[in-house]
């Protein structure tokens, strides 16, 4: 299962770029890690495990800085977190058949690409007025996205942030902080679910190299602004790449269409 060194270097470069781009907007990059890993690894257990570890590495630093700079308040995030943690654990505990996993993964990647693209087109030119919603909606969103995140190894922020931006739940910076914290707790919960179900698979060399790559990229991304580099344009290209790989995973790995 070991990846040839030249391919591993290429994969590390891709992970570094993904971590840099995604961390700048509060994401961990889980959907793109999954997309890249499916091109190099055949073990879906290793794909899930490595993606969750890399998510955790990236958003740990992002979450710390969001809280440090006053953009995150735990009491506002609790409804999402309380419902998502047990559902992420439950989702990760499912021992899926390989073909079913790849079908769910392919659909998740396609939806991730759509949601990421939608986020870039729904940004208003002026700051929109935020709206108030009942608490049960936060619990519902947290539970549903938490379960999916544990099931396929995506932290869930890439689904949550566009939905909350569309609902005008709060300011964009606070939504980014919530997405980062949401990914953090669900990645931890998902990893615990993998451990208890004996599904954790971490090839040491690949995990170490990719972990270092996303640590460096994540620390860089959270400290710089991508606005001057056309962040929306980068997101759209990323969404297109994730969409292409998602369709490939669904058709080739999941449905067996060659």
């Amino acid at each position: 299962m070991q990846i040839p060194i030249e391919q591993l270097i290429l994969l590390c470069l891709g992970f570094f770029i993904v971590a840099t781009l995604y961390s700048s907007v509060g994401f961990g990059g889980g959907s793109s890690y999954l997309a890249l890993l499916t091109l190099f690894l055949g073990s879906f257990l290793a794909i899930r495990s490595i993606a969750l570890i890399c998510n955790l590495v990236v958003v740990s630093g992002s979450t710390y800085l969001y809280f440090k700079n006053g953009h995150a308040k735990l009491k506002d995030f609790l409804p999402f977190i309380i419902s998502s943690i047990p559902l992420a654990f439950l989702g990760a505990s499912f021992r899926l058949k390989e073909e079913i996993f790849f079908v769910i993964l392919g659909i998740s990647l396609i939806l991730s690409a759509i949601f990421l693209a939608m986020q870039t087109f729904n940004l208003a030119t002026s700051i929109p007025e935020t709206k108030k919603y009942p608490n049960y909606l936060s619990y519902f969103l947290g539970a549903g996205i938490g379960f999916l995140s544990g099931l396929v190894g995506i932290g869930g922020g890439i689904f949550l942030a566009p939905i909350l931006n569309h609902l005008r739940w709060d300011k964009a910076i606070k939504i980014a902080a919530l997405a980062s914290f949401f990914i953090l707790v669900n990645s931890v919960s998902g990893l615990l679910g993998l451990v208890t179900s004996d599904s954790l698979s971490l090839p040491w060399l690949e995990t170490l190299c990719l972990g270092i790559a996303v640590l460096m990229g994540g620390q860089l991304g959270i400290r710089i602004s991508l606005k001057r580099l056309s962040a929306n344009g980068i997101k759209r290209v990323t969404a297109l790449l994730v969409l292409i790989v998602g369709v490939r995973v669904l058709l080739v790995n999941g449905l067996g269409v060659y």
Side-chain angles (χ1 to χ4, degrees), residues 86-172:
L87 269 295
F89 179 87
L90 179 63
S93 301
F94 274 78
R95 295 185 63 88
L96 299 174
K97 292 183 178 179
E98 187 167 341
E99 59 271 19
I100 295 176
F101 168 79
F102 279 116
V103 168
I104 296 175
L105 174 58
I107 293 173
S108 299
L109 290 173
I110 293 170
L111 291 176
S112 296
I114 293 172
F115 285 142
L116 185 59
M118 283 174 56
Q119 186 182 19
T120 68
F121 290 107
N122 287 337
L123 293 175
T125 56
S126 60
I127 300 176
E129 182 182 354
T130 59
K131 293 184 176 181
K132 295 291 184 181
Y133 291 93
N135 275 341
Y136 71 80
L137 180 63
S138 301
Y139 288 105
F140 177 78
L141 287 174
I145 297 175
F147 180 77
L148 178 62
S149 72
L151 199 63
V152 300
I154 294 176
I158 200 170
F159 294 115
L160 184 64
I163 292 173
L164 294 182
N165 275 309
H166 178 72
L167 295 175
R168 293 186 288 179
W169 177 76
D170 212 307
K171 296 179 180 178

Side-chain angles (χ1 to χ4, degrees), residues 1-4 7 11 33-50 96-102 105 201 203 206 248-249 252-254 258:
M1 188 177 65
Q2 188 171 3
I3 302 175
Q7 293 185 11
L11 190 58
Y33 301 146
L34 288 169
L36 291 172
L37 286 169
T38 57
L39 301 177
F40 294 89
L41 283 177
S43 169
F44 74 99
L45 294 179
I47 290 172
R48 291 172 74 184
S49 302
I50 294 175
L96 299 174
K97 292 183 178 179
E98 187 167 341
E99 59 271 19
I100 295 176
F101 168 79
F102 279 116
L105 174 58
S201 176
E206 287 83 351
R248 177 189 178 278
V249 169
V252 177
N253 300 87
Y258 295 93

